[in-house]
Amino acid sequence: MKENPSVVSCVASSVASFFFLAVLACMPALPAHADVKLTAEQFTNFQKIAPGTVVQGVTAGVYDFSDKESPNSTIIATVSTANALIAGDDGQTLVASPYGKDVLSVANGNNITLKAGNSGTTMIGGSGPDTIIGGAGDDKIAGAGGADTIYGNGGDDTVVYDQQAVSIDGGLGIDTLVVTPGVEVDLKNTENQVPANSTIVTGFERVSIAQPQ
């Protein structure tokens, strides 16, 4: 079999103890793996990631799926510092590091799942239907359109109201619902705190009026 010079050159320049990762870094597509560990730099080398692959990000940085073909894949940040995880294809799951103040966002794709860590995660959905799940920290959440399901979970969360969402639940803690001027909120209503709209809003203790941009 004829050797690919570019692959041989790339592997040869890599440290031997990281041979497996070096080989992967020379490929334009990451084959299916139940669990693979990559640095942010290695992650950028791939144009395609096989469906169902679970990637553990082992260095701080940006893990951007928006320029990759990678449906139903997962990225888990493992470094407790500021990371940026960006979804870019259908069915992806982004998981923040347990103790870092990560930013999770959706550039493209539908049915994306965003999961916060425990130290306060910023999560911004996309135009499609997303599932956004807070953690134990004080999270900042914006569905940004689409038929989203949002659950703040623990912590004192701040959630931007979106009338396209299916449901918005502040969860535990002293949570704040951010609304635009004119939206009527009834915090005493246990069934729906914004009763004039079909979005089911529950679990909020405070209201904040968004300032015009």
Side-chain angles (χ1 to χ4, degrees), residues 63-106:
Y63 293 83
D64 187 354
F65 277 113
S66 66
D67 60 348
K68 306 179 191 304
E69 182 182 341
S70 51
N72 302 311
S73 52
T74 299
I75 179 71
I76 302 173
T78 63
V79 180
S80 297
T81 185
N83 301 284
L85 311 182
I86 305 171
D89 210 339
D90 293 346
Q92 291 180 335
T93 298
L94 310 184
V95 183
S97 62
Y99 305 108
K101 293 186 179 297
D102 297 342
V103 176
L104 279 52
S105 62
V106 179

Side-chain angles (χ1 to χ4, degrees), residues 7-20:
V7 172
V8 173
S9 176
C10 179
V11 172
S13 64
S14 303
V15 180
S17 61
F18 293 96
F19 177 75
F20 176 69

Side-chain angles (χ1 to χ4, degrees), residues 16 114-115 119 167 184:
L114 308 180
K115 296 182 179 181
S119 295
S167 65
E184 296 184 6

Side-chain angles (χ1 to χ4, degrees), residues 104-128:
L104 279 52
S105 62
V106 179
N108 304 297
N110 297 306
N111 301 312
I112 306 297
T113 299
L114 308 180
K115 296 182 179 181
N118 296 321
S119 295
T121 304
T122 298
M123 295 181 288
I124 306 169
S127 59

Side-chain angles (χ1 to χ4, degrees), residues 28-205:
L30 179 64
H33 288 279
D35 190 0
V36 61
K37 297 180 180 180
L38 297 176
T39 67
E41 182 178 0
Q42 290 167 337
F43 183 83
T44 62
N45 292 330
F46 296 106
Q47 301 170 3
K48 181 185 294 185
I49 295 176
T53 298
V54 177
V55 176
Q56 291 191 35
V58 297
T59 62
V62 177
Y63 293 83
D64 187 354
F65 277 113
S66 66
D67 60 348
K68 306 179 191 304
E69 182 182 341
S70 51
N72 302 311
S73 52
T74 299
I75 179 71
I76 302 173
T78 63
V79 180
S80 297
T81 185
N83 301 284
L85 311 182
I86 305 171
D89 210 339
D90 293 346
Q92 291 180 335
T93 298
L94 310 184
V95 183
S97 62
Y99 305 108
K101 293 186 179 297
D102 297 342
V103 176
L104 279 52
S105 62
V106 179
N108 304 297
N110 297 306
N111 301 312
I112 306 297
T113 299
L114 308 180
K115 296 182 179 181
N118 296 321
S119 295
T121 304
T122 298
M123 295 181 288
I124 306 169
S127 59
D130 304 313
T131 299
I132 304 177
I133 305 171
D138 301 340
D139 302 313
K140 297 179 180 179
I141 302 173
D148 302 325
T149 300
I150 299 173
Y151 179 56
N153 215 334
D156 299 337
D157 305 314
T158 300
V159 183
V160 177
Y161 172 71
D162 185 348
Q163 64 180 4
Q164 296 183 46
V166 174
S167 65
I168 304 174
D169 187 344
L172 305 175
I174 307 300
D175 304 306
T176 301
L177 181 68
V178 180
V179 299
T180 55
V183 175
E184 296 184 6
V185 180
D186 181 2
L187 294 179
K188 295 181 180 180
N189 190 330
T190 58
E191 294 183 358
N192 191 352
Q193 294 174 319
V194 186
N197 192 269
S198 59
T199 302
I200 304 301
V201 180
T202 56
F204 289 91
E205 291 72 35

